[in-house]
């Protein structure tokens, strides 16, 4: 029998002869971001967020029924206000009514011992794109619950509240605090709320600062009640904890010493505040000016201390061989060009006062004005709620022979 004929060779493939490979299909377009939540009346926004978070937390583990509230703050400044205090009261009311199995406690050293769940939240004025720039149109309310036993975020909700419903007047401690700066402990709190999602680990920096946070919270309550000796003791105790090197502690020691009439100690405490700002490369001082003027107000509870503050800043800058950029700010009300000019003139006024107290600072400072372009609140209310928008910042310049100095 004759052998079967050989099978014909298969035709060469495109790859075998070096033809170009087929073009890969384009990757699917990323889905558009979800629309921002609707703007609701204040009470509705708070109730919706509280119900969402506690419902999810109970579903995750119904046996974890103890929650500690770490006081809510403004997401830009870290300040507490009448609004954040009201939110906490409303949350407690929601829990008592609709989640009676849950026990809600204030944050204290004792309440943290059982490793409960912890509730944090931020309340921040934002624009239409949910950003903290430009014209603000609502308050973004972020509420997050973490479990200290597992170290995980177990629930989160974000809502928006109407601007006109919100009383953002700072609480007594934050209204009186003379200095603002970036604070690692506060930023860890804010990131735990705003930069986390369910299932994420709780920020380690936040966990490490919980004991100090509990002491600071108790101290702020004592200060608000006029118990200045008790507040001073709590702030000084907080300063000795591993996370005690923070702005709230330094502000608290200064305020308590001042309220108690301890002049020498309060001056030393303000120098500690300035030193903290120099180390952190940013210190914003609440020098309050008369509208449209470079003259200080006279009705502020601490306006009589402005001269002492300026002297302390000047002497600490000389001691640390620091050059300073002095930055003036204004609120967004009024024409932009006028705000730019006013912020510069105010910065130049502080510059002249510093150089007058310490002539060695001449040619080691530069004054600039940024108008309202770096607002922290941006609501334009021109009252106690947005005092920090009218601040003067001092930023160490390194190296000291940088251009313009």
């Amino acid at each position: 029998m004759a052998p079967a004929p050989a099978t014909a060779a298969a035709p060469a493939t495109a790859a075998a002869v070096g033809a170009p490979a087929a073009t890969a299909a384009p990757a699917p377009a990323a889905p558009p971001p979800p629309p921002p939540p609707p703007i609701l009346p204040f009470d509705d926004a708070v109730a919706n967020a509280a119900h969402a978070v506690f419902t999810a937390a109970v579903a995750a583990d119904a046996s974890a029924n103890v929650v500690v509230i770490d006081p809510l703050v403004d997401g830009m400044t870290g300040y507490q206000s009448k609004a954040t205090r009201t939110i906490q009261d409303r949350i407690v009311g929601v829990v008592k009514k609709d989640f009676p199995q849950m026990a809600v406690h204030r944050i204290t050293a004792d309440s943290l011992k059982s490793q409960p769940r912890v509730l944090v939240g931020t309340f921040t004025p934002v624009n239409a794109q949910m950003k903290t720039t430009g014209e603000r149109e609502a308050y973004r309310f972020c509420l997050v619950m973490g479990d200290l036993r597992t170290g995980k975020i177990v629930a989160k909700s974000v809502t928006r509240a109407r601007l006109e419903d919100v009383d953002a007047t700072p609480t007594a401690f934050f209204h009186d605090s003379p200095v603002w700066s970036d604070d690692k402990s506060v930023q860890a709190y804010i990131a735990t709320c705003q930069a986390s999602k369910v299932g994420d680990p709780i920020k380690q920096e936040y966990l490490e600062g919980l004991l100090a946070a509990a002491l600071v919270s108790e101290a702020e309550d004592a200060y608000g009640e006029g118990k200045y000796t008790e507040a001073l003791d709590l702030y000084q105790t907080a300063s000795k904890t591993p996370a005690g090197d923070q702005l709230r502690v330094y502000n608290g020691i200064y305020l308590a010493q001042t309220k108690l009439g301890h002049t020498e100690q309060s001056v030393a405490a303000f120098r500690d505040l300035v030193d903290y700002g120099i180390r952190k490369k940013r210190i914003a001082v609440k020098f309050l000016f008369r509208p449209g003027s470079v003259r200080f107000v006279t009705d502020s509870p601490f306006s009589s201390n402005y001269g002492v503050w300026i002297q302390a800043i000047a002497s600490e800058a000389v001691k640390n061989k620091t050059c300073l950029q002095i930055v003036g700010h204004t609120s967004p009300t009024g024409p932009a060009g006028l705000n730019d000019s006013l912020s510069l003139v105010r910065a130049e006024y502080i510059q002249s006062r510093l150089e007058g107290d310490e002539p060695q600072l001449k040619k080691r400072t530069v004054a600039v004005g940024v108008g309202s372009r770096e607002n922290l609140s941006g609501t334009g209310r021109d009252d106690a709620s947005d005092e920090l928008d009218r601040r003067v910042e001092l930023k160490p310049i390194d190296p000291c022979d940088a251009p313009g100095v």
Side-chain angles (χ1 to χ4, degrees):
M1 184 175 179
T7 304
T13 64
V17 297
T23 302
I39 299 175
L40 303 174
F42 176 78
D43 287 346
D44 292 346
V46 173
N48 286 2
H51 275 102
V53 165
F54 277 87
T55 298
V58 170
D61 183 357
S63 67
N65 57 5
V66 177
V67 178
V68 166
I69 297 182
D70 194 349
L72 284 71
V73 302
D74 181 284
M76 285 292 289
T77 65
Y79 275 19
Q80 295 173 37
S81 65
K82 290 183 178 179
T84 63
R85 290 293 177 91
T86 299
I87 290 171
Q88 290 169 207
D89 292 341
R90 301 285 170 82
I91 289 172
V92 171
V94 167
V95 174
K96 286 182 177 179
K97 178 177 181 293
D98 298 327
F99 302 90
Q101 73 275 32
M102 306 290 288
V104 179
H105 301 290
R106 296 170 57 195
I107 185 170
T108 65
D110 285 339
S111 67
L112 292 172
K113 288 179 179 178
S114 63
Q115 292 188 297
R117 287 179 166 177
V118 62
L119 192 70
V120 302
T122 60
F123 198 64
T124 314
V126 295
N127 63 20
Q129 292 74 43
M130 299 275 276
K131 305 294 184 182
T132 53
T133 57
E135 182 178 356
R136 279 37 166 207
E137 71 164 28
Y139 273 86
R140 180 184 63 210
F141 178 31
C142 170
L143 193 63
V144 162
M145 189 181 295
D147 191 322
L148 296 185
R149 289 186 182 275
T150 65
K152 301 287 187 180
I153 302 296
V154 297
K156 178 174 183 175
S157 179
V158 176
T159 61
R160 287 194 298 172
R162 295 189 308 209
L163 281 176
E164 60 269 25
D165 293 348
V166 176
D167 185 351
T169 304
T171 58
F173 170 78
F174 289 99
H175 176 266
D176 292 349
S177 293
V179 168
W180 181 87
S181 182
D182 294 319
D183 188 292
K184 179 181 177 182
S185 297
V186 173
Q187 292 304 315
Y189 178 106
I190 292 171
T192 296
C193 189
Q194 296 184 357
S196 66
K197 59 183 184 296
V198 174
D200 283 351
I202 302 172
K203 304 295 181 185
Q204 187 63 31
E205 296 86 353
Y206 173 72
L207 294 174
E208 291 171 352
L210 270 174
L211 175 57
L215 292 166
V216 165
S217 179
E218 292 185 85
E220 288 167 1
D221 287 343
Y223 182 87
E225 295 165 3
K227 300 175 181 177
Y228 302 123
T229 299
E230 180 182 343
L232 178 60
D233 180 63
L234 287 163
Y235 283 121
Q236 290 176 329
T237 302
S239 73
K240 298 178 175 63
T241 67
D245 181 32
Q246 57 175 280
L247 184 66
R248 293 177 299 178
V249 171
Y250 293 116
N251 268 325
I253 292 173
Y254 168 77
L255 290 174
Q257 296 283 24
T258 302
K259 290 290 190 180
L260 290 168
H262 300 163
T263 303
E264 291 185 8
Q265 294 92 328
S266 67
V267 171
F270 193 84
R271 290 180 183 275
D272 288 340
L273 274 167
V274 176
D275 179 68
Y276 177 89
I278 289 174
R279 288 189 285 115
K280 300 301 180 182
K281 306 296 185 184
R282 185 182 191 186
I283 176 173
V285 185
K286 286 195 290 190
F287 292 116
L288 301 184
F289 294 88
R290 299 179 187 182
S293 170
V294 294
R295 299 177 66 190
F296 292 138
V297 300
T298 57
D299 56 354
S300 166
F302 291 94
S303 56
S304 61
N305 294 342
Y306 288 178
V308 174
W309 296 359
I310 290 171
Q311 174 59 51
I313 294 167
S315 60
E316 287 299 302
V318 169
K319 184 182 76 174
N320 288 279
K321 299 179 179 180
T322 301
C323 290
L324 294 173
Q325 182 188 58
I326 304 165
V327 186
H329 299 260
T330 70
S331 69
T333 52
L338 179 60
N339 286 337
D340 286 348
S341 298
L342 181 61
S343 63
L344 174 59
V345 172
R346 287 174 173 174
E348 290 174 337
Y349 175 70
I350 298 298
Q351 179 186 38
S352 68
R353 292 285 301 268
L354 291 170
E355 293 177 354
D357 280 345
E358 290 287 352
Q360 295 180 59
L361 288 178
K362 290 183 177 178
K363 298 184 179 181
R364 289 174 51 188
T365 64
V366 58
V368 298
V370 297
S372 62
R373 292 187 294 279
E374 297 178 9
N375 280 173
L376 294 171
S377 172
T379 58
R381 291 177 171 173
D382 286 337
D383 57 17
S385 69
D386 60 353
E387 283 178 348
L388 279 176
D389 287 347
R390 303 184 296 281
R391 67 197 182 277
V392 174
E393 289 197 28
L394 302 109
K395 300 180 180 180
I397 300 171
D398 189 20
C400 204
D401 58 357
V405 180

